[in-house]
Amino acid sequence: MMDMDDFTLKLTNELRVSPLYNELKSKAKELVCRTSGDVSQLKMNIHEGLAKSGWKRSLQNEVYGRLLQRVDAASQNGVHIKEPLAYIRRAQASWEKRILKSLNSMCTEMSVPLARKRPIPEQEEIRSNWNELGVDEPDLSLFRPVYGPKDFLDMLTLLKNPNLALEQLCNFWGLLQLPFPVKSLQQLRQEFCAMTPRWSQVGVDGGSHTDIFDAERVGLGQKVMAADNIALCQQYSRRGIPPSLRMQLWLQNFGLRITDSDRLRYEQLKMHIFKHDLLVDKLIYKDVKLTATNDDQYFVFEDFIHQVLLLFSRDTEVLTHFTHSSATPPKSYIRVAPLCFVFEDPVTLYYFFREIYTRHFFRLHTISSHPQGIVSLSVLFESLLQACQPQLFYHLRQMGAQPLRIAFKWLMRAFSGYLASDQLLLLWDRVLAYNSLEPLAVLAVAIFAYRRVNLLETSSYAAVEAVMADTTTIRVIPLLQAILLTEH
């Protein structure tokens, strides 16, 4: 574990090479030029000037944001920085080798290179069709997905702690036989206490007082925006964000400011797309066509989704993130789509997607022991469902319908594609507000509890799938409240 002195030094060095540092220096120089009088008061005058002009708040937000992203490494040794557990590292290596083998065999079978430079006519064609990428429909029938939720879950079920005796596994009813420490129901109730029905929630409350509450919530949200404080923004978001303020507050939550240099970088990434064709481009295109294009909610955003993922596949800034974590190629196409309801500007859409992916969503397809990773979320789901609905869990297990086999695709895709868009955004409000993916596991448990009566009448896995097939009518916050605030 990195001690605070080492972390402070590391943070200081990171800030010295950040764009914010140069902006602060520029502003400080400007204040020095304006200052006249006693030189001994210069330092104090600069501090006061930076505070009055909002730069002190910007620095505080930057530090707070980096604290939230702090990586706890078990060792300073580079081998251990990504994952402290040896058997998890071996599983990571095996999974990545399997993915690379799949990609290479696909290239060999179809005589397609991993990357090639586009001829000039092809460059001009994709440039002219940039806003209509979905119009072109090449034959991609021979291209196959690298992996799906079922393949990934099968890999996770093979994880075994070699230090755990066989007799110790008798208490595990679920698919994952792992003794990962996860929060109890009582701990989750304390953490998510802001969702109590005692407090009105955005998107839940009805009746005559709704308009008054909405107006109060918008007014308070505007004050939060004006304060420009990430911690305050997260606290406000715990009861949901009005749709009219969601874009600004989500950006504030991450401390994102789209600058001219960001827009220039965006254009440079576009040029890379125009000049070079990658194998992953075809996989992205096929995934988008098979998912978002066939979704009644998201088909209108097909071109935006395609653009964002092509840009993401060429963004070398993402690589710096993976010096601290290990991840497989993103199954992220469907998680771009809901963001199109929030962000109208394609540049802002891209940078927000990159931020939410590298902070949260990459963990949903990464084999790791991190408490926010897909393995821990799956263990949390099974643990909570056993605690809240032991009869239901036992019934499903006895017929060979392990609940995780149903819920895993929800968790892996952060419920994108499985909920109505307004409900999904309310769920993601809480993910950002609590800086946690645990609400995903809690909601998965809540859906099983909600459909308990019908599930107890099933006698086959196919029947269970039929009962759980349609979740688009689910109302997120009432179900979360039912699990978190009801005694079982």
Side-chain angles (χ1 to χ4, degrees):
M1 185 78 71
M2 187 184 301
D3 64 32
M4 187 52 67
D5 289 339
D6 290 339
F7 176 72
T8 302
L9 179 61
K10 179 175 180 291
L11 179 59
T12 303
N13 291 334
E14 287 177 357
L15 288 172
R16 286 183 185 277
V17 296
S18 70
L20 178 62
Y21 182 74
N22 292 328
E23 292 171 357
L24 283 168
K25 279 183 67 176
S26 177
K27 183 63 179 178
K29 288 178 182 178
E30 183 183 323
L31 290 169
V32 169
C33 294
R34 286 187 199 168
T35 301
S36 59
D38 190 355
V39 177
S40 63
Q41 300 296 315
L42 184 61
K43 183 176 181 180
M44 185 179 70
N45 291 339
I46 291 175
H47 284 175
E48 290 177 355
L50 290 175
K52 288 178 181 178
S53 57
W55 287 105
K56 181 179 179 181
R57 177 65 67 196
S58 297
L59 180 59
Q60 289 173 336
N61 283 336
E62 183 74 14
V63 172
Y64 182 73
R66 289 176 184 265
L67 282 171
L68 292 178
Q69 299 176 67
R70 176 179 177 179
V71 178
D72 290 327
S75 168
Q76 295 304 308
N77 186 325
V79 176
H80 291 188
I81 193 169
K82 292 184 179 182
E83 172 54 54
L85 299 181
Y87 74 97
I88 297 291
R89 292 201 300 275
R90 288 193 294 270
Q92 286 178 347
S94 175
W95 180 242
E96 289 168 7
K97 188 182 298 183
R98 174 177 166 179
I99 289 172
L100 290 174
K101 183 178 178 181
S102 176
L103 288 170
N104 287 327
S105 63
M106 200 185 307
C107 290
T108 303
E109 290 169 13
M110 295 183 289
S111 301
V112 176
L114 284 169
R116 68 178 180 88
K117 187 171 182 179
R118 300 183 195 271
I120 297 298
E122 188 178 333
Q123 291 183 32
E124 294 302 321
E125 181 182 3
I126 191 171
R127 189 193 306 270
S128 61
N129 292 331
W130 176 247
N131 293 317
E132 298 178 338
L133 293 173
V135 174
D136 183 29
E137 295 199 13
D139 181 14
L140 300 177
S141 56
L142 296 178
F143 289 87
R144 57 184 181 272
V146 178
Y147 71 97
K150 182 181 182 302
D151 304 314
F152 194 34
L153 179 58
D154 289 343
M155 180 67 187
L156 298 187
T157 59
L158 299 177
L159 293 175
K160 295 289 184 292
N161 186 338
N163 299 317
L164 198 64
L166 186 62
E167 57 269 16
Q168 292 177 277
L169 298 176
C170 297
N171 294 327
F172 292 97
W173 283 7
L175 273 178
L176 300 189
Q177 308 289 298
L178 296 168
F180 278 21
V182 293
K183 292 176 183 174
S184 67
L185 182 57
Q186 189 58 40
Q187 288 172 319
L188 290 170
R189 283 174 176 166
Q190 292 173 357
E191 183 170 351
F192 301 125
C193 61
M195 281 192 273
T196 173
R198 290 182 300 164
W199 300 100
S200 297
Q201 307 284 330
V202 172
V204 176
D205 296 284
S208 58
H209 73 289
T210 301
D211 292 340
I212 299 174
F213 169 69
D214 290 345
E216 289 176 348
R217 196 71 181 153
V218 169
L220 181 59
Q222 290 170 340
K223 292 179 181 178
V224 170
M225 286 165 50
D228 191 24
N229 183 306
I230 293 178
L232 185 62
C233 176
Q234 290 183 334
Q235 189 66 35
Y236 170 84
S237 302
R238 293 183 176 189
R239 290 169 59 193
I241 301 174
S244 61
L245 303 181
R246 184 169 278 128
M247 181 187 76
Q248 297 95 322
L249 288 172
W250 275 14
L251 290 172
Q252 189 178 107
N253 189 294
F254 284 155
L256 269 183
R257 295 178 299 157
I258 309 303
T259 64
D260 290 340
S261 61
D262 291 328
R263 294 187 181 277
L264 178 60
R265 175 61 178 162
Y266 181 89
E267 293 300 322
Q268 290 172 339
L269 291 173
K270 281 172 62 175
M271 293 303 298
H272 291 316
I273 296 171
F274 298 156
K275 289 183 178 179
H276 296 94
D277 177 37
L278 308 181
L279 171 66
V280 73
D281 294 351
K282 298 174 178 62
L283 299 177
I284 287 170
Y285 189 92
K286 186 165 186 175
D287 284 341
V288 172
K289 282 293 182 184
L290 291 175
T291 53
T293 306
N294 295 321
D295 192 301
D296 291 342
Q297 298 183 87
Y298 303 131
F299 74 94
V300 294
F301 303 125
E302 177 185 353
D303 294 324
F304 276 161
I305 299 168
H306 205 161
Q307 289 172 5
V308 167
L309 293 177
L310 289 177
L311 292 162
F312 187 81
S313 67
R314 289 156 172 83
D315 194 341
T316 54
E317 287 292 318
V318 178
L319 295 177
T320 60
H321 168 72
F322 293 116
T323 60
H324 300 292
S325 59
S326 176
T328 54
K331 303 292 288 185
S332 309
Y333 46 82
I334 203 164
R335 288 192 284 269
V336 180
L339 301 179
C340 296
F341 284 106
V342 181
F343 300 98
E344 184 177 352
D345 173 32
V347 180
T348 308
L349 169 65
Y350 172 69
Y351 282 107
F352 185 84
F353 167 73
R354 189 181 76 176
E355 195 69 22
I356 197 172
Y357 173 82
T358 54
R359 288 209 194 188
H360 295 295
F361 290 156
F362 83 95
R363 298 195 185 282
L364 300 178
H365 52 84
T366 303
I367 301 176
S368 80
S369 60
H370 193 279
Q372 295 291 318
I374 188 65
V375 182
S376 292
L377 289 181
S378 298
V379 173
L380 175 62
F381 163 77
E382 292 189 320
S383 171
L384 282 180
L385 189 58
Q386 289 178 54
C388 297
Q389 299 291 336
Q391 181 186 3
L392 174 60
F393 196 107
Y394 185 76
H395 171 76
L396 296 174
R397 180 177 180 272
Q398 286 301 99
M399 73 169 76
Q402 281 281 4
L404 186 58
R405 292 207 177 275
I406 301 292
F408 189 76
K409 58 183 180 292
W410 302 340
L411 299 176
M412 188 176 169
R413 291 172 177 161
F415 280 93
S416 181
Y418 298 102
L419 297 173
S421 57
D422 63 325
Q423 296 300 306
L424 181 67
L425 296 177
L426 289 170
L427 175 62
W428 287 7
D429 282 345
R430 273 68 182 186
V431 168
L432 300 187
Y434 288 96
N435 196 44
S436 170
L437 293 168
E438 289 167 339
L440 304 180
V442 177
L443 179 61
V445 171
I447 293 173
F448 272 84
Y450 180 61
R451 300 213 166 142
R452 175 180 183 277
V453 174
N454 291 334
L455 287 171
L456 287 174
E457 295 176 355
T458 58
S459 57
S460 67
Y461 183 76
V464 173
E465 280 191 313
V467 170
M468 305 301 282
D470 183 15
T471 54
T472 56
T473 58
I474 293 293
R475 292 182 63 80
V476 167
I477 306 305
L479 285 191
L480 290 174
Q481 290 176 332
I483 286 294
L484 294 169
L485 304 165
T486 302
E487 296 294 335
H488 297 277

